[in-house]
Amino acid sequence: MPSTVADKKLRRRVALALAGLLGLAALPAWAAYPEQPVRLVVGFPPGGGGDLYGRLIANALGKTLGQPVVVDNKAGAGGNIAADLVAKAKPDGYTLLLAMSGNLAVAPATKPQSLPYKVPDDFAPIGLILEAPHGLFVGHNSRFKTAQELLAAAKTQKLSFASTGTGAAAHIGMEMVKQSAGVDMLHVPYRGSGPAITDMLGGQVDSFFATASPLVAQVRQGQLRLLAITGDRRNPAIPDVPTFQELGVRVPVVQWYGLVAPAGTPEPVLRTLSEHLGRALASAEVRDAIRKDAATERHLPGDAFRSFITDDIARYKAALTPALLKEITN
C-alpha cells in the first residue's frame, strides 16, 4: 500500500527518536573525560623557554580536570618536532600541544612545503593562553639610551642585531622593525640568548631582538636596557618602556602560546578543555605568574583561536621580502 502522509511523519519521528537515543548512548564516553592522565607536549627542554608556561598551565588544568596533566618535553627544530608528534597523535583528548608562534605561525608562513604537518588543518584549537611582547635590547653599557637614537644611527651607520635563529619569530619581528623604520641592520643569528647577550655586552653586536619576558629580570637588575616592545599598549610590568607603535614603527606580532589537540578530537572534549583553560587563566596564581614578567593572559577559545592563528600566519607572510625569504631558506 502507498505510504500515507501520517505514516511518513510517524517514521520520521521514530528515526529522530532513535538518533537521539544513539546520541545519548554515545555521550557517556566523553562525559567521563578525562579518565586517565593527559599528556602536554612541549617543544622546549625542561626549564627553557615556554616550558615554564607549559608546566604552569599543566598544573592548573590538572587541579580542575581531576587527572594529572603531564608535560612531555620534545625539543628540537624550533618546536616543529613537538607539533608533528601531536598532529599525528590519536585524537582522543589525551595528547595536547603547547602551541606557539614558532611552530604554528612562523614555520607555516616561511616553509610550509617542508613541514610534516599543516596549519590549521592538522590541529583542533582549544584556546590561546598568553601573549608576550618582543623587545629591542641593548647592553647596560650601550651608547643608545632610546630606540629613536638607535634607529636614527642605523640610517647613517652599519649597525647589527642579534637573534636566536634565522627565520625565528623574533628575527622576522626585527625585520618588520627595519622595514617600517626604513633602516638596514646586519642580522647575526645565535643558538641562544646567553651567547647573544654575552657578545652584545662585549660589543660584538649592537642590539638584540628577542621575546621580552624571559629577559625582564636582567632589565630590572640593570644588565640590559629594553628600548621598545611590540604590542598595542605599554605593559604594566615595565611601564617605562614604550611600544614601537608609539614610535611610529609597525611591528604587528607578539610571541604567543596556546593549546591545541589533533584534528578530529571530539567537540565535547575540546569544550571541556577550553572551559578548564578559561578557569586556569582566571585564577590569581596563573594570572600573576604570567603577568610578573610582562606577558599577558588572553583566553581566546576554539574558532576564535583558529582565526587568530591564520591571521598571524598572514602577518608573517606579509613580512617575507624575497631577500628575507632567501636568507631563511638557504
Side-chain angles (χ1 to χ4, degrees):
M1 287 179 62
S3 296
T4 66
V5 173
D7 289 336
K8 289 179 180 177
K9 286 183 177 179
L10 179 61
R11 282 199 296 271
R12 185 170 182 273
R13 287 191 188 122
V14 170
L16 288 172
L18 286 173
L21 288 172
L22 289 172
L24 288 173
L27 184 60
W30 301 120
Y33 172 87
E35 297 181 294
Q36 64 190 52
V38 176
R39 178 170 63 145
L40 176 59
V41 182
V42 173
F44 300 93
D51 175 67
L52 300 176
Y53 292 131
R55 292 181 186 278
L56 177 70
I57 292 301
N59 180 61
L61 288 177
K63 289 179 179 178
T64 61
L65 279 173
Q67 288 285 352
V69 178
V70 182
V71 171
D72 184 7
N73 298 94
K74 297 293 182 183
N80 296 349
I81 291 174
D84 183 44
L85 187 155
V86 173
K88 294 176 172 59
K90 185 177 179 181
D92 57 6
Y94 291 102
T95 302
L96 311 177
L97 173 69
L98 180 70
M100 59 177 180
S101 305
N103 54 17
L104 258 66
V106 178
T110 59
K111 48 186 176 184
Q113 303 307 319
S114 64
L115 285 182
Y117 56 88
K118 293 183 179 180
V119 182
D121 306 34
D122 290 343
F123 301 96
I126 295 167
L128 184 63
I129 297 172
L130 66 89
E131 295 176 318
H134 294 303
L136 179 60
F137 295 85
V138 295
H140 64 86
N141 52 353
S142 173
R143 61 192 168 107
F144 300 116
K145 301 295 190 292
T146 67
Q148 295 98 317
E149 290 177 5
L150 188 148
L151 294 174
K155 292 182 178 181
T156 59
Q157 306 165 38
K158 190 62 176 178
L159 300 183
S160 58
F161 75 95
S163 83
T164 54
T166 301
H171 170 212
I172 300 178
M174 186 60 190
E175 293 295 336
M176 293 179 181
V177 172
K178 288 168 52 180
Q179 292 171 20
S180 182
V183 300
D184 185 24
M185 296 175 66
L186 175 67
H187 174 224
V188 184
Y190 286 82
R191 290 187 175 272
S193 295
I197 291 171
T198 297
D199 277 7
M200 183 172 65
L201 293 174
Q204 280 76 41
V205 288
D206 297 297
S207 60
F208 180 37
F209 197 86
T211 303
S213 295
L215 302 177
V216 165
Q218 293 183 58
V219 173
R220 290 174 178 150
Q221 292 163 8
Q223 297 171 307
L224 300 177
R225 189 179 298 142
L226 179 52
L227 303 184
I229 59 170
T230 64
D232 296 334
R233 59 185 66 85
R234 291 198 183 201
N235 192 287
I238 43 175
D240 295 334
V241 180
T243 64
F244 283 102
Q245 186 168 294
E246 287 177 56
L247 309 178
V249 178
R250 186 174 183 274
V251 196
V253 293
V254 294
Q255 175 69 31
W256 57 261
Y257 296 94
L259 283 185
V260 298
T265 301
E267 282 298 326
V269 173
L270 296 175
R271 282 196 302 271
T272 296
L273 288 166
S274 182
E275 288 167 6
H276 284 268
L277 177 59
R279 292 184 202 174
L281 295 177
S283 72
E285 177 186 4
V286 171
R287 185 179 64 240
D288 293 347
I290 289 173
R291 291 182 184 182
K292 70 181 177 65
D293 289 329
T296 305
E297 77 282 356
R298 185 181 176 193
H299 183 42
L300 198 63
D303 289 339
F305 183 35
R306 179 187 295 274
S307 297
F308 176 90
I309 293 170
T310 55
D311 289 347
D312 207 42
I313 293 171
R315 284 188 282 269
Y316 283 105
K317 282 183 176 179
L320 294 178
T321 62
L324 177 56
L325 195 56
K326 183 178 180 180
E327 179 184 354
I328 291 171
T329 54
N330 280 352

